[in-house]
């Protein structure tokens, strides 16, 4: 009979507030638990970093500093960071709890995204990255495991606050430890520490290509060979991506000076949307332990950004882009509005003249006073 291992962390209370209830997942750098926030009586996620990382004092300080900055950035497509701290010898991060799983879960279950679905996921992620980049935050580890979904299929980028610290730490580890980062890393990440938001855009492009095709471009036999290959080659996007091809090709340039920013990449995706059909619902993780009854698929409703049949992208009320959403409708209204205004002015002018004309007549002679 196989031995049943009990997670010794369950039941622990972090920060005198967060009681660990159930495990959610384990990664290369941390474990994630569903927890009960005993102060606010809500479910949250608690990510505890592996002891090997926390034992590095430089990493610990970097993690706490990054977490503090990440907690100050609020955006619909960034995973909300509620709290952070240390428990005994462990560092932890408290975030919102999502029930839809990750893009990695989706791909591992055998699902692939259509071009329309990939555009929607990429647009949400690009908008979140743009907000973070404006605050000086670079993720450095964009990959399917860090693109998370809520119960309605909206993307949240996870691991802001620890991705940079973990990425910088793992580049100093033996070659085998690099695979998680190198697989989606921009070429400059292996050459220089001068990494900006365009590295995240590159990684997002690789992630979207994998989500549609199942393969990550420009991956060689070892992490080092992968990074050397990416120094010399641009990402080649298959013609089958259609309207998405130009945006992904631009984002996959080896020379970062030729890549778009997150904001520019989002604009390119919006333009491509006019040539794609409405996306089907995403196949979210079902049976998730993060909620009592998670929905099996995403629903694209009025609050969710979708690509409609006319090719216009509808965004949430906090993110509406007038170039996409408002201007075409305004152009169609202008001729009608102008005619109405001219008619109103004409009528008002006529009655105004007649009113004053009557007021200044001289009754005895019937002549106007000039």
């Amino acid at each position: 009979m196989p031995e049943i291992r009990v997670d010794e962390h369950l039941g622990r209370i972090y920060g005198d507030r967060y009681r660990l209830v159930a495990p959610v997942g384990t990664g290369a750098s941390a474990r994630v638990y569903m927890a009960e926030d005993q102060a606010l009586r809500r479910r949250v996620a608690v990510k505890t970093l592996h002891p090997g990382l926390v034992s590095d004092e430089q990493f610990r300080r970097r993690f706490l500093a990054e977490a503090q900055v990440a907690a100050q950035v609020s955006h619909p497509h960034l995973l909300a960071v509620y709290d952070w701290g240390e428990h005994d010898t462990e560092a932890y991060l408290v975030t919102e709890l999502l029930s839809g799983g990750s893009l990695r879960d989706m791909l591992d279950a055998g699902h692939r995204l259509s071009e329309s679905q990939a555009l929607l996921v990429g647009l949400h992620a690009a908008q979140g990255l743009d907000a973070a980049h404006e605050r000086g935050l670079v993720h450095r580890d964009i990959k399917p495991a860090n693109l998370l979904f809520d119960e309605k299929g909206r993307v949240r980028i996870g691991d802001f606050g620890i991705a940079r610290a973990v990425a910088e730490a793992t580049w100093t580890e033996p070659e085998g430890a690099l695979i998680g980062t190198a697989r989606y890393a921009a070429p400059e990440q292996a050459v220089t520490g001068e990494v900006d938001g365009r590295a995240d855009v590159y990684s997002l492009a690789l992630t979207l290509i994998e989500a549609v095709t199942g393969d990550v471009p420009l991956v060689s036999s070892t992490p080092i060979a992968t990074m050397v290959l990416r120094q010399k080659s641009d990402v080649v996007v298959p013609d089958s991506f259609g309207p998405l091809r130009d945006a992904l090709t631009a984002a996959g340039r080896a020379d970062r000076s030729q890549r778009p920013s997150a904001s520019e990449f989002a604009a390119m995706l919006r333009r491509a949307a006019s040539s794609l059909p409405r996306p089907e619902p995403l196949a979210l993780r079902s049976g998730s332990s993060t909620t009592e009854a998670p929905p099996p698929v995403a629903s694209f409703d009025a609050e969710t950004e979708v690509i409609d049949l006319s090719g216009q992208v509808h965004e949430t009320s906090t993110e509406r882009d007038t170039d996409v959403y408002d201007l075409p409708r305004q152009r169609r209204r202008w001729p009608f509005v102008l005619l109405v205004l001219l008619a109103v002015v004409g009528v008002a002018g006529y009655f105004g003249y007649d009113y004053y004309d009557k007021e200044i007549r001289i009754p005895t002679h019937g002549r106007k006073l000039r």
Side-chain angles (χ1 to χ4, degrees):
M1 182 175 180
E3 179 183 357
I4 299 176
R5 300 182 62 183
V6 178
D7 193 320
E8 61 182 11
H9 287 72
L10 297 183
R12 289 185 182 181
I13 298 177
Y14 284 62
D16 297 324
R17 177 173 176 176
Y18 308 105
R19 184 174 65 87
L20 304 190
V21 175
V24 173
T26 300
S29 62
R31 294 179 178 179
V32 183
Y33 297 88
M34 178 172 65
E36 179 184 354
D37 182 342
Q38 297 180 325
L40 298 180
R41 297 186 180 277
R42 65 178 176 181
R43 293 288 175 87
V44 296
V46 172
K47 175 168 285 192
T48 63
L49 302 186
H50 290 321
L53 291 171
V54 183
S55 62
D56 181 343
E57 180 63 22
Q58 182 178 1
F59 169 84
R60 189 185 65 84
R61 288 198 305 268
R62 185 188 296 125
F63 160 72
L64 294 175
E66 289 287 316
Q68 184 174 6
V69 174
Q72 298 172 2
V73 181
S74 177
H75 189 273
H77 297 307
L78 298 180
L79 187 70
V81 177
Y82 296 144
D83 200 358
W84 66 94
E86 297 176 276
H87 177 81
D88 294 335
T89 60
E90 295 178 302
Y92 65 90
L93 192 70
V94 183
T95 72
E96 65 178 317
L97 185 68
L98 302 179
S99 64
S102 68
L103 181 58
R104 181 77 273 154
D105 296 330
M106 200 177 299
L107 300 181
D108 287 348
H111 299 290
R112 297 290 178 264
L113 301 190
S114 67
E115 286 76 14
S116 295
Q117 290 173 325
L119 186 147
L120 184 62
V121 170
L123 183 55
H124 283 179
Q127 290 170 339
L129 288 174
D130 183 41
H133 295 166
E134 287 183 352
R135 297 294 299 270
L137 276 175
V138 179
H139 194 289
R140 297 174 182 243
D141 198 20
I142 294 296
K143 57 188 178 184
N146 284 330
L147 297 187
L148 312 175
F149 299 96
D150 66 10
E151 70 280 1
K152 293 184 178 180
R154 287 173 293 216
V155 173
R156 304 280 206 285
I157 300 176
D159 268 3
F160 266 110
I162 71 169
R164 177 178 178 177
V166 171
E168 290 182 356
T170 55
W171 281 114
T172 64
E173 297 295 325
E175 183 175 299
L178 294 181
I179 189 64
T181 298
R183 187 172 179 81
Y184 300 93
E188 63 267 23
Q189 288 182 252
V191 177
T192 173
E194 298 178 0
V195 175
D196 61 21
R198 289 169 293 186
D200 288 343
V201 173
Y202 183 97
S203 299
L204 178 57
L206 297 189
T207 297
L208 296 177
I209 293 171
E210 181 191 16
V212 174
T213 67
D215 297 316
V216 181
L218 298 179
V219 174
S220 191
S221 57
T222 68
I224 298 301
T226 293
M227 301 316 296
V228 171
L229 178 62
R230 290 181 183 170
Q231 304 290 326
K232 302 176 180 179
S233 305
D234 294 333
V235 174
V236 177
V237 183
D239 292 338
S240 59
F241 277 81
L244 280 179
R245 187 173 182 273
D246 288 347
L248 294 173
T249 297
R253 299 292 186 193
D255 182 354
R256 67 175 178 178
S257 68
Q258 298 180 11
R259 286 183 224 141
S261 66
S263 176
E264 292 167 340
F265 186 56
M268 296 175 76
L269 293 178
R270 290 191 191 96
R271 289 194 292 271
S274 62
S275 302
L276 289 173
R278 179 189 179 100
E280 294 294 324
L282 296 171
L284 300 183
R285 181 177 64 185
S286 60
S288 169
S289 62
T290 58
T291 61
E292 294 182 0
V297 295
S299 59
F300 292 85
D301 57 14
E303 296 179 349
T304 307
E305 188 170 59
V306 300
I307 306 169
D308 65 21
L309 295 178
S310 65
Q312 289 190 0
V313 179
H314 293 250
E315 301 180 19
T316 59
S317 58
T318 57
E319 302 171 353
R320 289 174 62 179
D321 188 311
T322 54
D323 289 339
V324 178
Y325 189 88
D326 290 323
L327 290 184
R329 192 175 303 175
Q330 287 177 346
R331 292 191 191 103
R332 290 193 294 268
R333 287 192 186 123
W334 264 112
F336 175 76
V337 172
L338 183 59
L339 287 174
V340 171
L341 287 175
L342 289 174
V344 170
V345 171
V347 171
Y350 170 79
F351 283 107
Y353 174 84
D354 188 57
Y355 172 79
Y356 284 107
D357 183 64
K358 291 178 180 177
E359 285 295 308
I360 60 176
R361 282 184 182 275
I362 301 174
T364 56
H365 301 286
R367 296 195 303 272
K368 295 179 183 179
L369 184 62
R370 301 292 184 184

